[in-house]
Amino acid sequence: GDSVTQMEGPVTLSEEAFLTINCTYTATGYPSLFWYVQYPGEGLQLLLKATKADDKGSNKGFEATYRKETTSFHLEKGSVQVSDSAVYFCALSPGNQGGKLIFGQGTELSVKP
Amino acid sequence: NAGVTQTPKFQVLKTGQSMTLQCAQDMNHEYMSWYRQDPGMGLRLIHYSVGAGITDQGEVPNGYNVSRSTTEDFPLRLLSAAPSQTSVYFCASSYRDNTEAFFGQGTRLTVV
């Protein structure tokens, strides 16, 4: 079945460092891909998404490109801030299945001043 | 805008007790889902609904029951709580496939 694999955390970075969180997926059809972020004690919020191959999603300085050839959707940010500390989830939506999402295990990011 | 509202935020149950986790959304979304979040496992789908009167099982449905009598509400029932159901539960809604899912704040459930 469809699945998502993320790099394991926790990831600890200094402020202004470059961030990459790897995400690869397995899917039989043409899924949409998402990154969600969870701040402490809160629910998940959409960070960015891409609905077809070669699409780039971007928001708040974060970017991810839907790579069908490598089945990847890696999250990047050029300069992280302390306020980016959170848990990041990569997810796919298979489509035509009631909006359901399949999540990776999550990567905890901690940014130190 | 209330968005997706879950109640309660915290709950402690004894093994064998039953309870209902409430979820309501005010965005007129057709699609609603329940997930559980466990350490190192991400979120896993319990049940989902594509509209009033229609529900289906997700990845981990055992021990849980749902119904969808209105567009707004999608309660999750634990029939006989077990320690393995200790988790954080999230309700989500979305307008249609491939659109943003909106999540509630979560319910932290402990079964002792």
Side-chain angles (χ1 to χ4, degrees):
Chain A
D2 295 353
S3 66
V4 175
T5 301
Q6 281 181 242
M7 66 183 279
E8 293 198 12
V11 174
T12 302
L13 295 174
S14 297
E15 208 165 19
E16 299 184 3
F18 184 85
L19 169 70
T20 300
I21 300 177
N22 290 337
C23 171
T24 58
Y25 69 90
T26 302
T28 52
Y30 302 94
S32 292
L33 301 175
F34 302 83
W35 278 100
Y36 281 85
V37 58
Q38 184 181 31
Y39 298 101
E42 297 186 11
L44 280 69
Q45 306 171 26
L46 178 66
L47 182 59
L48 54 84
K49 73 172 188 179
T51 58
K52 61 183 188 298
D54 300 325
D55 269 2
K56 178 187 281 190
S58 61
N59 186 25
K60 299 180 182 179
F62 291 90
E63 293 183 341
T65 301
Y66 188 166
R67 303 282 189 202
K68 194 168 187 295
E69 63 276 11
T70 55
T71 63
S72 65
F73 192 54
H74 304 321
L75 183 68
E76 296 182 336
K77 186 176 186 183
S79 176
V80 294
Q81 306 299 313
V82 172
S83 57
D84 293 327
S85 298
V87 181
Y88 293 81
F89 291 93
C90 185
L92 72 81
S93 175
N96 297 320
Q97 296 190 35
K100 71 184 202 182
L101 293 166
I102 297 168
F103 286 89
Q105 64 266 48
T107 302
E108 183 179 0
L109 171 67
S110 178
V111 181
K112 306 296 185 188
Chain B
N1 278 352
V4 178
T5 303
Q6 287 183 239
T7 56
K9 286 189 168 49
F10 301 94
Q11 183 70 49
V12 178
L13 287 180
K14 294 183 178 178
T15 299
Q17 286 185 316
S18 63
M19 79 160 294
T20 300
L21 279 63
Q22 301 292 344
C23 175
Q25 53 94 6
D26 62 358
M27 297 172 282
N28 204 32
H29 287 167
E30 289 296 324
Y31 295 167
M32 295 187 74
S33 312
W34 276 101
Y35 296 86
R36 60 178 288 173
Q37 182 180 21
D38 300 293
M41 302 187 74
L43 279 75
R44 292 179 293 167
L45 182 65
I46 305 172
H47 286 284
Y48 66 103
S49 169
V50 298
I54 306 170
T55 64
D56 206 347
Q57 296 182 352
E59 182 185 353
V60 287
N62 292 341
Y64 307 95
N65 210 348
V66 293
S67 60
R68 184 102 179 267
S69 55
T70 67
T71 300
E72 295 77 21
D73 299 300
F74 191 43
L76 178 73
R77 296 182 186 83
L78 278 69
L79 308 172
S80 177
S84 61
Q85 293 178 304
T86 293
S87 187
V88 181
Y89 292 85
F90 287 99
C91 179
S93 74
S94 59
Y95 175 57
R96 53 182 167 86
D97 275 322
N98 304 322
T99 60
E100 177 180 1
F102 292 82
F103 286 81
Q105 296 278 304
T107 296
R108 184 173 293 275
L109 176 67
T110 302
V111 183
V112 297

